Amino acid sequence: TEIKTIAGALNSLLSRLKHALDREKRITSDAAHELRTPLAAVRLHTELAQKASNDDDREIALENILHGIDRTTHLVDQLLALAKLEPESFSKNLETLYLKKSVIDEVALLTPNADKKNIELSVDECEDVDIKADNTSLSLLIRNLINNAICYTQEGGKVKAAIIPVKESIDLIIEDNGPGIPAEQRERVFERFFRMENHDNPGCGIGLSIVMRVVELHNATLQMGE
């Protein structure tokens, strides 16, 4: 009986270890694959800058280098955020948070991005409710949803956030008047590194997968409308 208990505990430990190693291997493999393209682009534009025969060509190449570095930095930040979303550590960080404050903080952070595209970014119908959540991952969820809306909404568009209590739950709504996502692609956009065709907006295809992971960890649900 004692050996069976020990064997069961060891099997459980080895199972969790295998899951962690498989997850680490997958993230490392994905990162290596996705970093290859922006790093190759940075190298190419660096070589073009070295070979430029005039200041205008050199300036264009340098701007492309900065763009490539920004894209790589964003990708690394998103990969690190995704890697940290582990259930074991997550449950220890739950605390009482005011959702309205979290939304307002992220809107303030992303307002310069909206201003660049002349997008009206606002907070509408926000009830001051408190929830049990992990502060870091909740901020990631809100930030990625709002930033995604800004990226894919046309210049001069509108993006707004709202918090509406519904019976025993709370709805966090991020709404925009952009082109939307075709119904047949709404499931796939939550896959890591998936990006819709005919979109040249900067990104790495991880933002919505992070959103879905945070939703799952909080035992919440996510719905995508028209």
Side-chain angles (χ1 to χ4, degrees), residues 75-223:
L75 174 57
V76 170
D77 288 343
Q78 295 287 61
L79 284 168
L80 290 173
L82 191 60
K84 291 177 181 177
L85 294 178
E86 278 288 349
E88 291 80 7
S89 59
F90 172 81
S91 59
K92 299 176 184 177
N93 296 325
L94 294 178
E95 57 183 308
T96 300
L97 300 171
Y98 286 95
L99 187 55
K100 181 177 180 179
K101 181 181 184 305
S102 297
V103 170
I104 291 174
D105 287 347
E106 295 306 320
V107 166
L109 181 69
L110 294 170
T111 293
N113 294 10
D115 289 344
K116 288 179 182 178
K117 296 179 66 176
N118 194 29
I119 288 175
E120 181 184 325
L121 178 58
S122 62
V123 180
D124 187 30
E125 288 188 65
C126 271
E127 293 281 342
D128 197 11
V129 294
D130 60 89
I131 61 172
K132 203 77 172 178
D134 171 66
N135 188 33
T136 301
S137 59
L138 179 64
S139 296
L140 274 173
L141 178 144
I142 299 169
R143 190 179 313 149
N144 275 291
L145 285 175
I146 296 176
N147 191 54
N148 197 72
I150 293 171
C151 283
Y152 291 96
T153 297
Q154 68 281 354
E155 289 198 18
K158 296 181 179 181
V159 176
K160 69 176 181 179
I163 301 171
I164 304 175
V166 181
K167 294 183 179 179
E168 296 181 356
S169 64
I170 300 166
D171 285 353
L172 168 63
I173 302 170
I174 308 298
E175 183 180 355
D176 64 71
N177 63 345
I181 299 175
E184 64 275 10
Q185 293 190 13
R186 288 179 190 169
E187 291 293 328
R188 294 207 62 197
V189 294
F190 297 105
E191 298 175 9
R192 283 183 299 170
F193 304 118
F194 175 79
R195 301 200 70 206
M196 293 192 302
E197 297 178 358
N198 303 323
H199 281 288
D200 55 0
N201 293 286
C204 54
I206 304 181
L208 288 180
S209 67
I210 290 176
V211 167
M212 181 56 76
R213 183 64 175 145
V214 174
V215 166
E216 291 170 349
L217 288 170
H218 282 88
N219 294 317
T221 57
L222 187 147
Q223 292 182 342

